[in-house]
Amino acid sequence: MAYYILSIDQGTTSSRSILFDLQGNIAHVEQQEFEQYFPEDGRVEHKPDDIWQSVLHTTKAVVEKIDAKQDKVIAIGIANQRETTLVWDRKTGVPIYNAIVWQDRRTSVMCEGLKALGKEDMIRRKTGLLIDPYFSATKISWILNEVPGAKEKAHRGELVFGTVDSYLLWKLTGGEEHRTDATNASRTMLFNIHTQTWDDELLELFDISKAMLPEVMDSSDYFGVCESHYFGYGVPILGIAGDQQAALFGQTCFREGMAKSTYGTGCFMMLNTGKNALVSENRLLSTVAYRLNGVPTYALEGSIFVAGATIQWLRDGLQLIKKAGESESLAKQTSLEHGVYMVPAFTGLGAPYWDPNARGAIFGLTRDTGIKEIVTAGLQSVCFQTKDLQKAMEADGERPDVLRVDGGMVANGWLMQFLSDILGATVDRSTVSETTALGVAYLAGLKAGVFESLEALEKNWQCEVRYTPTMTKEKRDGFYKDWCKSVRKVQSQ
């Protein structure tokens, strides 16, 4: 009999289900994209049932690939797009509004109002976060205020809130469990990362009833049992983490100072700060990296809203390419001195700018500019934004000189070399590209007793390709200076 851990990696544009064997090797993968909705400028939504059906489809597809008579799934881990907000009816389980996605900027005015009231320092001190539409709290407030009767229902205890992990847990357990883990809780702007509790002052500020909120667990914990009709037997759900923290865990960045950067829809650089929740002076976030046995490990994080979504836009929006993979060959044909800079602020700018009203632009166009220059500029924008984060971390005294990378974009070797060059740092690509899913498999496996310790997991990590800088400092600084000029032109303040 073979045993497996099932990882559900519920992302912004697709859901993946992956079966790992008990050594952490990938056995089977299934992925399904789902539709994105943009009802107005700066608004991004998902239909909750699209999320759920994509998870159902992919989990069933991978489980069908193993022998039901001989093989068994012994644990489930869930990684999820963070901050994306759902509110549903406690009795029926039916959401009262679409999922408001982390990229959504509809609460910008609300956030500006909170800043004007002088609330940013208090919120930052308690949550490690800056006031921004990115986080869940203002999204919850918007739903409660805009959906007729929602506020009254919430105060009567008839509605519940959850990030995507909580929603999937609710669905998989037949409405039995309403829980989340500390990493996801730390992204709501309602959770005190120092006391590890929902914060009464913040709940009062946003007028959100504590009864709506899920119970906060460790990242490796007993969350409940998946109903037996899905697999023919009940499977315990033993690991949950927000996707970026899951990737940090999958990259085994367990020691203070280790850093990873994930290149998916957005880009997220995260640096392990150990038991210290640092207060960034450079508009980075302090967040819970993971919590084991009641003890949180913290991280410093920079969040970029648009990375892979840039290439998706070039493919689907401008139709300059047919497949994302074409971007690498076009970049190889393009001189680095092409002079075009793309700032993909489609839904505002994330760290370290935090400008929700900025919008995207392309600079330096000439009659010589063609498709390959624009596509290359799109790729380079991802690296320049990562440089922004590295500079901010350096100013906070935490410069990462080695970066472990993952996500769909890291298969592009040209991009990874340019990233190493523009950072002036070593970039290590893991042999396992699905590190987000691997991270929650590790968390679930720790609780199941499959993996002994963090030290044992560290030995699993292997470098597939190491990229080292070849560009001169003078050239690197010149490119970055021109990037910064371009960013200033799109800023709204």
Side-chain angles (χ1 to χ4, degrees), residues 102-122:
W102 57 272
Q103 297 162 311
D104 190 282
R105 317 304 286 166
R106 75 186 64 194
T107 60
S108 296
V109 173
M110 190 188 307
C111 289
E112 290 306 316
L114 289 167
K115 290 176 188 176
L117 289 172
K119 299 297 183 182
E120 185 143 57
D121 186 60
M122 180 269 289

Side-chain angles (χ1 to χ4, degrees), residues 25 250-252 404-405 428-433 435 438 442 457-466:
N25 301 309
Q251 290 277 29
T252 67
R404 292 184 173 181
V405 296
D428 285 346
R429 187 170 76 197
S430 166
T431 52
V432 178
S433 60
T435 50
L438 181 61
Y442 281 166
L457 293 177
E458 275 187 301
K459 293 174 184 175
N460 267 4
W461 189 88
Q462 292 181 319
C463 180
E464 181 186 40
V465 185
R466 170 163 287 175

Side-chain angles (χ1 to χ4, degrees), residues 363-378:
F363 298 101
L365 299 176
T366 69
R367 284 291 299 271
D368 292 331
T369 302
I371 288 172
K372 67 178 191 285
E373 286 80 14
I374 293 172
V375 171
T376 301

